[in-house]
Amino acid sequence: MQMASTVDASGNPIPSSSVLMASSKHIGIRCHSENFEFLKCKKKDQNPEKCLDKGRDVTRCVLGLLKDLHQKCTNEMNDYVGCMYYHTNEFDLCRKEQQAFEQKCSLE
Amino acid sequence: MTEATIRNKPGMASVKDMPVLQDGPPPGGFAPVRFARRIPNKGPGAVAIFLTAFGAFSWGMYQVGQGNKIRRALKEEKYAARRSILPVLQAEEDERFVREWHKYLEYEAEVMKDVPGWKVGESVYNSGRWVPPASGELRPDVW
């Protein structure tokens, strides 16, 4: 169950699929407004160049949130992300780690 | 000659008078044996059987419905997670695309600089919407 660590060299969590899926509930709640603004902008105009600023808001929010989560509950997050990586992002196979993560890191 | 010595009856005149030696029933005969069918006609009636089958079927379908509810909840959880992370991924891809697109526009300007009346990066469609570029591969480094 060994894989590359959740963080890169400078201690920032890498936004890989398992990390993002593990923190998806937190992202959905804490970055809701940024996500919604970005999607509204996309719906108006699909051109990527028109929504770059809102996209940067989204990325800043999510990466900041990941770093915050990782600092507050390092072990639980590492365990949950490791379990997600092992089971290819199947929520139902990682319930125990999910409970521990959500208990520790501010139940939304 | 041995038969005569075994089945001897005192005072018999000839071999023809020997008593008969047979295997037979005990005196008074055997005990009576019942050989008639006795299949009882009790047990559940037709209505009871039908109701039991119908009840089992209904309970089974109810369990199917409950299972579907649980599976739908799991799928909803997965879809909600994908919905939450969609904007980050799209924003990252937009950044990458814009960088590549500007490089391509420079190349186009370089190639078409001597063509009169050529607008670099002009859309080839008339609908007014932005359409993703369809000219060849999107990511040649990946392919």
Side-chain angles (χ1 to χ4, degrees):
Chain A
M1 208 154 135
Q2 283 314 305
M3 53 143 205
S5 143
T6 319
V7 292
D8 59 12
S10 50
N12 296 319
I14 308 172
S16 66
S17 74
S18 29
V19 172
L20 285 174
M21 287 298 255
S23 5
S24 57
K25 284 203 176 64
H26 296 267
I27 294 174
I29 292 184
R30 301 238 205 118
C31 291
H32 177 78
S33 43
E34 282 90 348
N35 286 357
F36 193 59
E37 290 301 307
F38 179 70
L39 291 174
K40 270 200 314 207
C41 171
K42 271 288 178 185
K43 197 170 166 70
K44 238 179 10 199
D45 188 359
Q46 303 258 341
N47 195 348
E49 283 161 330
K50 300 286 187 295
C51 294
L52 275 184
D53 54 340
K54 301 211 166 54
R56 280 189 202 112
D57 281 343
V58 169
T59 319
R60 199 182 316 126
C61 176
V62 170
L63 291 182
L65 172 63
L66 288 182
K67 192 171 175 67
D68 185 43
L69 286 176
H70 189 77
Q71 272 168 355
K72 290 228 176 75
C73 27
T74 318
N75 289 335
E76 282 79 8
M77 189 174 180
N78 282 346
D79 286 343
Y80 189 27
V81 168
C83 182
M84 276 301 207
Y85 179 78
Y86 185 71
H87 291 294
T88 340
N89 304 337
E90 272 290 333
F91 284 109
D92 209 32
L93 301 174
C94 286
R95 287 296 175 204
K96 214 160 36 124
E97 284 83 357
Q98 186 185 27
Q99 300 295 337
F101 181 53
E102 284 174 11
Q103 295 277 2
K104 184 89 193 294
C105 242
S106 71
L107 285 152
E108 272 108 80
Chain B
M1 186 202 97
T2 41
E3 277 306 304
T5 53
I6 291 168
R7 296 198 296 184
N8 196 18
K9 183 177 82 178
M12 67 181 189
S14 97
V15 180
K16 296 185 195 155
D17 292 333
M18 285 190 300
V20 172
L21 183 65
Q22 277 180 335
D23 183 17
F30 286 110
V33 168
R34 174 178 79 73
F35 54 85
R37 285 164 35 136
R38 301 270 170 88
I39 300 175
N41 201 18
K42 51 189 168 83
V47 177
I49 292 177
F50 177 78
L51 287 179
T52 313
F54 185 73
F57 175 72
S58 325
W59 179 82
M61 288 312 291
Y62 169 73
Q63 292 294 93
V64 167
Q66 297 298 101
N68 283 346
K69 220 160 93 166
I70 293 172
R71 274 178 37 228
R72 190 166 57 243
L74 288 177
K75 292 216 174 87
E76 287 293 336
E77 182 184 18
K78 185 160 65 161
Y79 299 156
R82 287 184 187 165
R83 251 179 267 135
S84 307
I85 66 180
L86 166 76
V88 208
L89 301 173
Q90 185 63 52
E92 281 184 357
E93 170 62 21
D94 282 355
E95 290 277 341
R96 185 209 65 86
F97 172 82
V98 165
R99 237 171 271 143
E100 287 298 318
W101 186 243
H102 285 320
K103 273 197 265 182
Y104 167 76
L105 289 181
E106 281 170 23
Y107 165 71
E108 184 182 332
E110 168 68 33
V111 164
M112 304 298 281
K113 63 179 184 297
D114 295 326
V115 174
W118 179 265
K119 290 201 260 312
V120 173
E122 174 194 22
S123 167
V124 297
Y125 304 105
N126 291 330
S127 71
R129 291 195 302 250
W130 180 82
V131 184
S135 50
E137 300 158 356
L138 279 177
R139 299 192 66 171
D141 52 320
V142 169
W143 288 99

